[in-house]
Amino acid sequence: MTGRDRRERVGLTLTVLGATSPYPGPGTSGPGYLLEGFGARILLDCGSGVLSRLAYHSDYADLDAVIISHLHFDHCSDMLVLRYALDAAARAGRLIEPVPVWCPTEPADVAGLMSYKEALRAVPITPNEPTDIAGLTATFIPVRHPIPTYGVILRPSKAPAVGSLLFYTADTEWMDELPGLVGDCEILVAEASLTAKQGVLGPKVGHMTAGEAARLGGMTNARTIVLTHYPPGRREEDILHEAKRVLARPVLVATEGLRVEWP
Ligand SMILES: [Zn+2]
Ligand SMILES: [Zn+2]
């Protein structure tokens, strides 16, 4: 299937562009996910190395929108070079208007970097209000992390407003209220920064364990659970082992190029 087919499909394709954090390891990239379907092509987070992965799947100028969950650099550092790629595309007449970037407004000095000439235009996130983004409906859920951070629920615009097609936790500690806010979920992309041993740190650093991420998958009846945002060098089997202790269902560990399709 070509990128054009994936974008026009009545369905959603998630392609993992990067998953390691807070910095990449050998040959890996920071958090970044390409979402294609229902006529939209959206880049969700843009960490270090994400652009070089994105180039395998899409022309940068073909992005309809970018969503940045929060302005920690592991989620937005490659925006500083995407600006050059899109500026070049704009000057060559291949970009009709700046690509909108939904992002928080704080910290203000970093938010100010998300707009650039005719290439990128920052759009402030309004929490808890369904927002049309390139034909998909996004609802931004404030989550618990040291700076303003938003989980993202995506739904096809024409579907009834129950459940979630995709929920991305962004970076957050465990929140009892999340399963209720998300409802039943087709694809869950959940951060799994911590090991079970590190779990007590969760509320202090604003991150979840792999077990908590899997638990969220169970509580939202997620059909596909993708665990992501883990430090470079952590072994996939160790993440899966921790998830299995909580949830007796298969889960996936995000790695560059992993693709999930719905339906
Ligand atoms: Zn963060
Ligand atoms: Zn992060």
Side-chain angles (χ1 to χ4, degrees), residues 70 72 74-75 145-147 149 171 207 229:
H70 66 301
H72 275 155
D74 53 326
H75 296 256
H145 198 53
I147 61 171
T149 302
D171 289 9
H207 287 295
H229 198 283

Side-chain angles (χ1 to χ4, degrees), residues 111-206:
L113 299 171
M114 297 297 118
S115 292
Y116 188 71
K117 297 186 182 173
E118 294 304 307
L120 295 166
R121 177 173 47 88
V123 183
I125 282 175
T126 306
N128 303 314
E129 229 170 67
T131 306
D132 182 80
I133 299 183
L136 285 165
T137 299
T139 306
F140 295 99
I141 308 288
V143 292
R144 285 194 209 118
H145 198 53
I147 61 171
T149 302
Y150 299 93
V152 187
I153 297 173
L154 276 182
R155 301 182 176 101
S157 294
K158 288 176 187 147
V162 288
S164 303
L165 171 52
L166 179 140
F167 178 59
Y168 171 52
T169 63
D171 289 9
T172 185
E173 66 177 84
W174 173 262
M175 292 170 58
D176 285 336
E177 60 271 47
L178 262 190
L181 291 170
V182 174
D184 280 359
C185 173
E186 296 295 327
I187 303 171
L188 172 71
V189 182
E191 77 120 297
S193 306
L194 307 175
T195 61
K197 268 189 195 156
Q198 296 169 322
V200 287
L201 290 174
K204 195 169 171 197
V205 295

Side-chain angles (χ1 to χ4, degrees), residues 35-60:
L35 304 169
E36 296 168 295
F38 299 99
R41 179 174 290 123
I42 299 172
L43 175 62
L44 174 59
D45 279 345
C46 189
S48 176
V50 162
L51 281 203
S52 73
R53 302 282 176 175
L54 176 61
Y56 287 119
H57 306 285
S58 172
D59 188 315
Y60 304 135

Side-chain angles (χ1 to χ4, degrees), residues 46 66-68 70-73 75-80 83 98-104 107-117 119-123:
C46 189
V66 178
I67 296 172
I68 301 294
H70 66 301
L71 295 169
H72 275 155
F73 292 117
H75 296 256
C76 68
S77 63
D78 263 16
M79 291 299 287
L80 300 185
R83 55 165 57 185
V99 173
V101 182
W102 270 265
C103 60
D109 54 343
V110 186
L113 299 171
M114 297 297 118
S115 292
Y116 188 71
K117 297 186 182 173
L120 295 166
R121 177 173 47 88
V123 183

